[in-house]
Amino acid sequence: MVRTSYEYTQTLMGTTVSLTLLEPNKAAAHAVFETIKMLEDKLTVNRSLSEVMAINLAAGQYPVTVSHSVFSLIEQAQKVSLHFNSCFNFAIGPLVKLWKIGFQDYQVPSNKLIKQQLLLTDPKNIVLNAKTHSVFLKKSGMEIDLGAIAKGYIADVVKLILQQYQVYQGIINLGGNVLTLGKSSLNEDGYWHVGLRKPFSTKNKLSGIIKVINKSVVTSGIYERFFIQNSHLYHHIFNPKTGYPLDNELESVTIISDSSLEGDIYSTVFYGWGLDKSREYLQKHQNLSAIFLLKNKTIILINTDNFIFQQLDTQYTISTDYN
Ligand code: ADP
Ligand code: MG
């Protein structure tokens, strides 16, 4: 049993990224952080020089050829946006920019402005050309936003980088996206212990601990980025039909899956579907597990073969009725 771990951290993607390994490996850690920086530079919409921004800046004008990896991520984002019958929409950019949730100058926009921006969020107006790897936004003002899946994609690439360095055990935390590799020798039980934040707790309290081996754990919650105005909470996941933040019974959705991209996609898709529809889907997809935290302080665990949940906060009640 190894009891020591080696932690490497950097501030990237607006969050603290930490990599925990069981043996020291500066070279692997360096490669991981450089890769994250490189991918962030390609995917961000908060800086003008990224590949995604190049697409957005050419909206209504011309197609932009992007790298293979960015193209394949955009292809997947479009597939989910068009064929899942969910609220997931990677053309949501104009609304994200309008609300500015998570930034200092956030605002509740006028209904008129929301309606205007909604006209620019149809994913069918994004034309992909697989031969040239080019992406064209048909209308001026359209914007791709990969905020819901970029971290998941990056986490999966980090796993590949670590494997190239013969690192098969470890845990990477990209803030909300945690990916575990292999077994943990840090805990007697062999599981990696991933904290699940208690929604809205100011002191980073935990609702519980999710124990996994070789899985990704991704959480999307309304408490991550939000503001309150006239007693109404506005958070950062939008309903692409109304242009307002999604409003349902959920406080957070956690997905336990093999890949982090999958976890990121489903955490947003399930958040939009709400509990009942997500549960039906999960019953048919047992390899995917989920933890739902409800506003009525219930915790719902589904497909519990892939993880163990240890409750820490007694304000919530665990329900397994849904299994
Ligand atoms: P994070 O883990 O960074 O909080 P999430 O995975 O929960 O992010 O996704 C939220 C982000 O996804 C938003 O900040 C925005 O960039 C983008 N987004 C918001 N609404 C939608 C939507 N309906 N479909 C796809 N992406 C969205
Ligand atoms: Mg997500």
Side-chain angles (χ1 to χ4, degrees):
M1 169 93 28
V2 182
R3 286 248 167 238
T4 336
S5 63
Y6 300 84
E7 189 168 331
Y8 305 87
T9 59
Q10 277 196 24
T11 304
L12 294 168
M13 302 186 291
T15 186
T16 304
V17 172
S18 71
L19 171 69
T20 305
L21 302 178
L22 301 179
E23 286 165 20
N25 196 331
K26 269 193 187 160
H30 180 76
V32 162
F33 290 121
E34 287 309 302
T35 304
I36 295 174
K37 270 184 226 162
M38 187 259 295
L39 292 173
E40 185 189 9
D41 283 346
K42 286 183 180 192
L43 299 170
T44 182
V45 288
N46 297 320
R47 276 179 249 144
S48 58
L49 289 174
S50 77
E51 288 190 30
V52 175
M53 270 315 276
I55 298 169
N56 291 346
L57 290 169
Q61 300 173 65
Y62 50 88
V64 171
T65 295
V66 292
S67 60
H68 177 75
S69 52
V70 171
F71 188 81
S72 101
L73 185 61
I74 287 177
E75 242 178 355
Q76 295 189 65
Q78 189 175 49
K79 228 183 257 169
V80 180
S81 303
L82 291 178
H83 305 300
F84 236 104
N85 193 16
S86 79
C87 283
F88 188 103
N89 179 356
F90 80 127
I92 201 86
L95 279 168
V96 175
K97 287 280 159 72
L98 179 66
W99 282 81
K100 302 193 193 90
I101 291 173
F103 295 89
Q104 291 205 321
D105 46 350
Y106 60 79
Q107 54 167 340
V108 180
S110 70
N111 216 329
K112 192 175 156 212
L113 275 177
I114 290 177
K115 291 239 160 69
Q116 268 176 21
Q117 297 298 82
L118 274 176
L119 298 174
L120 300 171
T121 59
D122 187 347
K124 286 202 241 23
N125 286 332
I126 299 182
V127 184
L128 306 190
N129 184 326
K131 276 197 193 122
T132 55
H133 283 175
S134 72
V135 184
F136 178 46
L137 311 185
K138 278 189 181 169
K139 290 189 187 178
S140 158
M142 285 182 72
E143 287 188 45
I144 287 178
D145 182 316
L146 300 176
I149 53 170
K151 280 192 210 159
Y153 168 73
I154 292 174
D156 290 335
V157 176
V158 164
K159 182 173 177 172
L160 296 178
I161 300 283
L162 287 170
Q163 285 168 347
Q164 280 171 13
Y165 282 81
Q166 273 88 48
V167 176
Y168 302 107
Q169 284 174 291
I171 180 165
I172 174 107
N173 187 343
L174 303 179
N177 282 65
V178 177
L179 187 59
T180 66
L181 274 76
K183 272 190 166 188
S184 169
S185 349
L186 297 174
N187 303 304
E188 295 278 348
D189 55 17
Y191 283 81
W192 295 100
H193 293 185
V194 181
L196 176 62
R197 242 191 84 185
K198 177 175 178 175
F200 304 109
S201 86
T202 43
K203 290 184 187 145
N204 284 337
K205 273 196 184 164
L206 299 179
S207 305
I209 294 176
I210 304 163
K211 300 180 180 178
V212 289
I213 292 174
N214 206 32
K215 292 275 179 196
S216 150
V217 180
V218 174
T219 301
S220 266
I222 59 173
Y223 55 86
E224 284 165 25
R225 271 178 279 148
F226 69 93
F227 68 88
I228 293 175
Q229 196 168 305
N230 297 331
S231 326
H232 192 94
L233 183 141
Y234 298 93
H235 64 86
H236 69 317
I237 307 171
F238 295 102
N239 181 338
K241 291 180 189 83
T242 64
Y244 285 83
L246 278 158
D247 194 10
N248 59 22
E249 73 278 31
L250 300 173
E251 273 182 341
S252 73
V253 179
T254 301
I255 303 292
I256 295 118
S257 55
D258 289 329
S259 90
S260 192
L261 177 60
E262 200 182 10
D264 233 351
I265 290 171
Y266 282 109
S267 64
T268 305
V269 166
F270 287 175
Y271 187 75
W273 276 349
L275 181 60
D276 288 339
K277 189 164 178 196
S278 305
R279 186 192 59 204
E280 266 175 43
Y281 186 88
L282 282 159
Q283 277 166 348
K284 291 186 211 121
H285 297 83
Q286 304 271 331
N287 58 331
L288 210 59
S289 302
I291 300 173
F292 296 90
L293 264 58
L294 272 55
K295 286 178 184 159
N296 71 7
K297 306 297 168 214
T298 311
I299 299 179
I300 314 255
L301 309 174
I302 301 185
N303 294 344
T304 48
D305 284 352
N306 303 317
F307 70 99
I308 295 168
F309 184 73
Q310 181 190 342
Q311 187 176 8
L312 293 181
D313 188 273
T314 48
Q315 204 195 345
Y316 286 75
T317 313
I318 294 190
S319 162
T320 43
D321 293 354
Y322 288 89
N323 258 316

